[in-house]
Amino acid sequence: MTIFGGIEAGGTKFICAIGAPTGAVDKKITIPTTTPKETMAKVIEFFKKNQKQNQFLAIGLASFGPIELNQASVNYGYITSSPKTEWNNFNILGVLKEIFNLPFGFDTDVNGAALGEQRFGAAKGLDTFLYITVGTGIGLGGIIDGKALHGLTHPEAGHIFIPHDKSRDPFSGICPYHKSCLEGLASGPAIKVRWQVKSALDLPDDHSAWNLEAEYLAYAIANFILSFSPQKIILGGGVMRREGLLKKVQLKTKEILNGYIKNKNILTNIENYLVAPGLQDESGICGAIALAEVAYQNSLIDRF
Amino acid sequence: MTIFGGIEAGGTKFICAIGAPTGAVDKKITIPTTTPKETMAKVIEFFKKNQKQNQFLAIGLASFGPIELNQASVNYGYITSSPKTEWNNFNILGVLKEIFNLPFGFDTDVNGAALGEQRFGAAKGLDTFLYITVGTGIGLGGIIDGKALHGLTHPEAGHIFIPHDKSRDPFSGICPYHKSCLEGLASGPAIKVRWQVKSALDLPDDHSAWNLEAEYLAYAIANFILSFSPQKIILGGGVMRREGLLKKVQLKTKEILNGYIKNKNILTNIENYLVAPGLQDESGICGAIALAEVAYQNSLIDRF
């Protein structure tokens, strides 16, 4: 049986699994993100154990970042300038390659999630779409004309700048680089600090916090629609699980665009255009397994 | 000799030319954009005359928009919802196809300019870069991983939303759809209305208008860098010809990003990262001719 290993490396937790190209995920485990030494030891232990039982053919790693994706760079495979200082300049791919003599796929966590959704979730059959995660951070991944979006480095679109009306929201934002960029105003930690609660989870569904949150996300989404012209946008991450938030974001995005983009998907069908992930919490790990499959196929081609 | 026809169809003027795949442009003429009937008659006359002398093999049309690029749509080849009402729902490609039995290339004016810059200008050898024009309108085109950016429709990124500090700039913006989107705040006509001058050209180089203009453009460019991670951004259009403006935009973009994108092109070499077009005013027409060449090559493939 053809099986692959996948790692969804997040800032809070790592998910490791073995899976098939059909999208079936097996033997999934969750490891807290502490230090590279501690966390990676557990990741390696998981795959070593499974390698004895199930001969998987490749491993896909979808990682939090920023990461170096340029294969020509000496830092290819590194987490580069993470705010998590212990993971700064850490060769996350290299550590695994030293142990496992297998083909490796490597991309951002959000591009991984986008790939997972394209294969098995809400983006089946699409070639140009975006995946946004709103949680501890805000991240953007995407497939553009069939290929994962990379460019010079990779998108860091959680940090885009949007209108911020200080007369209505005097909160100055928490981004250490930009203060009131999107992530500084609308990430989970920003909600927590603005409303002085222990967790964004403590705010009730009818709190005005969620109207403000919907507005900031809608401005960002409008910008992404105007810039990328995607066929669909998938909204994942912990903050988006809030009851009613997706609906608010849909309505606000349509209001902000104000009929400018004359496409029926946006004008009359936005509930099927801005959507929740089809794979719920498994977009990332399914995408990591898909990355492994692609790496395996490329390794077969390279042999000839 | 292999020659092609190109049309750069702009909101103010149409440029028609005959050119070679080497980038050499010949017999260029300029036609004012008035009514479709009047303007297209002159376009057709130009190519009919030249067809007798030089047997060109295909025509490329790079048009202002919004345009319908989806070949499966019954409106393929149309200018759809232009604010120029006479051009609304006008089958610009169809009118030409009726007269000339040749392969036609068709794309946005900004994607055309991007293609021209990739072939012969400032983006030689790059596969992921953006072309922005700042003039009567603000437009974004781009090549992403080797392909022109299309998606659901095509980018309309002149209309993205950026921070607007009304305490410093109380001007409410002129966009009929969004008031104070980028185009509403920073296009040539917006400058004219804000500062109550006959033309943005009347403002001296040292007027504070240009600092504000640089700031709005820098916010938009920072957003594009964070979203697309391009290898380079080319800034064209009439407003960008203002002495000193490009320099201001470079400095302000770097200041806004504040070291977040740890790439040397941005950190220490921004003057070679945000650049003027290599082809000056000819990016668009060269791109239109390149579109013709691609269409001709595709027609050869289709024959087999």
Side-chain angles (χ1 to χ4, degrees), chain A residues 66 81 127-128 140 144-166 175-178 183 219 222-231 256-263 265-266 273, chain B residues 66 81 127-128 140 144-166 175-178 183 219 222-231 256-263 265-266 273:
Chain A
S81 56
D127 62 16
T128 299
L140 176 81
I144 305 295
D145 217 343
K147 293 186 190 173
L149 183 60
H150 291 155
L152 183 66
T153 58
H154 53 74
E156 285 288 351
H159 293 263
I160 67 165
F161 300 89
I162 52 168
H164 174 206
D165 180 352
K166 285 176 195 160
C175 173
Y177 286 90
H178 316 116
E183 191 168 294
Y219 270 119
N223 282 0
F224 297 144
I225 292 173
L226 290 158
S227 299
F228 289 96
S229 193
Q231 294 155 334
I256 287 171
L257 287 171
N258 196 25
Y260 182 69
I261 308 278
K262 304 216 180 308
N263 183 282
N265 293 328
I266 296 165
Y273 181 77
Chain B
S81 56
D127 61 16
T128 299
L140 175 81
I144 305 295
D145 217 343
K147 292 185 191 174
L149 183 60
H150 290 154
L152 184 66
T153 57
H154 53 73
E156 285 288 349
H159 293 263
I160 67 164
F161 300 89
I162 53 168
H164 174 207
D165 181 351
K166 285 176 193 159
C175 173
Y177 285 90
H178 316 115
E183 192 169 293
Y219 271 118
N223 282 359
F224 297 143
I225 292 172
L226 291 158
S227 300
F228 289 96
S229 192
Q231 295 156 335
I256 287 171
L257 287 171
N258 195 25
Y260 181 69
I261 308 277
K262 305 217 180 308
N263 183 282
N265 292 329
I266 295 165
Y273 181 76

Side-chain angles (χ1 to χ4, degrees), chain A residues 238-301:
Chain A
V239 170
M240 287 311 302
R241 273 183 227 122
R242 166 65 51 163
E243 186 67 31
L245 181 58
L246 178 58
K247 184 82 202 160
K248 285 182 205 282
V249 171
Q250 289 165 342
L251 292 174
K252 198 72 195 171
T253 302
K254 209 171 138 175
E255 182 189 320
I256 287 171
L257 287 171
N258 196 25
Y260 182 69
I261 308 278
K262 304 216 180 308
N263 183 282
K264 65 177 185 335
N265 293 328
I266 296 165
L267 294 177
T268 63
N269 199 18
I270 201 153
E271 61 278 13
N272 293 311
Y273 181 77
L274 298 182
V275 300
L279 302 172
Q280 281 89 37
D281 295 341
E282 298 215 322
S283 327
I285 189 65
C286 283
I289 290 166
L291 281 174
E293 193 190 349
V294 173
Y296 176 67
Q297 286 163 346
N298 288 342
S299 76
L300 295 181
I301 294 165

